[in-house]
Amino acid sequence: AQSVSQHNHHVILSEAASLELGCNYSYGGTVNLFWYVQYPGQHLQLLLKYFSGDPLVKGIKGFEAEFIKSKFSFNLRKPSVQWSDTAEYFCAVKGYSTLTFGKGTMLLVSP
Amino acid sequence: DAMVIQNPRYQVTQFGKPVTLSCSQTLNHNVMYWYQQKSSQAPKLLFHYYDKDFNNEADTPDNFQSRRPNTSFCFLDIRSPGLGDAAMYLCATSRGEGGARETQYFGPGTRLLVL
């Protein structure tokens, strides 16, 4: 069975700080990896995804993530966060059929 | 804009009183999903439809049913809601052509309160 672990439940940063949110997965086959974001009061939106090829993927709003196969990781990064990045971030892995989410990381960016 | 729509955004029901949550989509996607998300937990897949084919997750309680009368609409029926069913219910869709590379698009969710 596939599973996803997000290291931090809550992260608090000041504006302009750098961000890295950890995500580790377990799955025996070829994985497809996603980061979704949920802004307050809004629906889950796709930030970025990795299927194959370049392990460094760039998403919307300046976010990127790096797939490291040997570490079973897909960490999300942003060099300089803004107050508007305050949201909950979910890492997800998809095997053949089911999309499995991590528990989410709540990011609070203080101005 | 093409989108996934869920109504209502908030639903209050009484313990044991049947309730139906609605989802519609203008994306013309083949697959529709229902997830349950409890506070501070990951969204958990309940079931999905590929066209008219219903696929139930093994651990989804019998209390949860679903209907998909046409491509655009999908309903979640909770036959006898318990206090433990209070949660956010998310509807999602995907094209159904990409296999493992499918991207799912989510609606805003319906928050269910059970009194």
Side-chain angles (χ1 to χ4, degrees):
Chain A
Q2 60 204 43
S3 66
V4 180
S5 174
Q6 291 184 239
H7 308 152
N8 306 100
H9 201 55
H10 293 93
V11 172
I12 302 173
L13 294 174
S14 300
E15 273 193 316
S18 64
L19 169 71
E20 181 160 2
L21 300 182
C23 172
N24 286 92
Y25 67 90
S26 67
Y27 181 66
T30 302
V31 289
N32 301 284
L33 297 157
F34 304 81
W35 275 98
Y36 281 86
V37 61
Q38 190 169 27
Y39 297 103
Q42 296 189 27
H43 60 279
L44 278 166
Q45 300 173 43
L46 184 67
L47 259 184
L48 48 78
K49 58 189 177 185
Y50 171 80
F51 292 159
S52 64
D54 188 345
L56 184 63
V57 292
K58 295 192 184 299
I60 60 172
K61 305 186 180 187
F63 285 90
E64 64 179 31
E66 185 176 11
F67 169 57
I68 303 179
K69 189 175 180 179
S70 60
K71 295 184 178 181
F72 298 92
S73 70
F74 190 56
N75 292 355
L76 181 71
R77 299 195 293 249
K78 186 171 183 178
S80 177
V81 295
Q82 301 172 318
W83 176 78
S84 58
D85 293 323
T86 293
E88 191 155 20
Y89 293 81
F90 291 92
C91 181
V93 61
K94 192 172 190 297
Y96 181 72
S97 58
T98 305
L99 183 66
T100 300
F101 287 89
K103 289 188 175 182
T105 298
M106 185 67 216
L107 171 66
L108 178 62
V109 180
S110 58
Chain B
D1 286 339
M3 58 177 61
V4 181
I5 302 159
Q6 290 187 247
N7 286 308
R9 295 292 304 274
Y10 296 89
Q11 176 75 56
V12 181
T13 191
Q14 293 177 334
F15 183 93
K17 184 175 181 181
V19 65
T20 295
L21 308 183
S22 301
C23 177
S24 64
Q25 53 129 342
T26 61
L27 297 160
N28 204 32
H29 282 173
N30 293 320
V31 192
M32 294 186 77
Y33 308 80
W34 279 104
Y35 288 84
Q36 179 192 63
Q37 185 181 17
K38 295 188 176 181
S39 182
S40 301
Q41 296 186 24
K44 179 179 176 299
L45 182 65
L46 295 173
F47 26 60
H48 73 277
Y49 272 95
Y50 192 113
D51 286 334
K52 294 182 179 180
D53 293 332
F54 178 69
N55 299 273
N56 199 29
E57 293 299 300
D59 55 355
T60 297
D62 292 340
N63 198 25
F64 291 86
Q65 304 286 322
S66 186
R67 296 171 283 134
R68 190 178 185 186
N70 54 52
T71 301
S72 300
F73 285 87
C74 194
F75 301 99
L76 169 62
D77 300 309
I78 308 176
R79 293 193 295 188
S80 181
L83 297 178
D85 296 327
M88 177 73 85
Y89 290 88
L90 302 172
C91 176
T93 73
S94 68
R95 282 199 179 88
E97 299 164 1
R101 296 189 172 192
E102 287 278 285
T103 297
Q104 294 183 18
Y105 299 87
F106 285 82
T110 295
R111 184 166 294 283
L112 177 68
L113 300 176
V114 181
L115 303 179

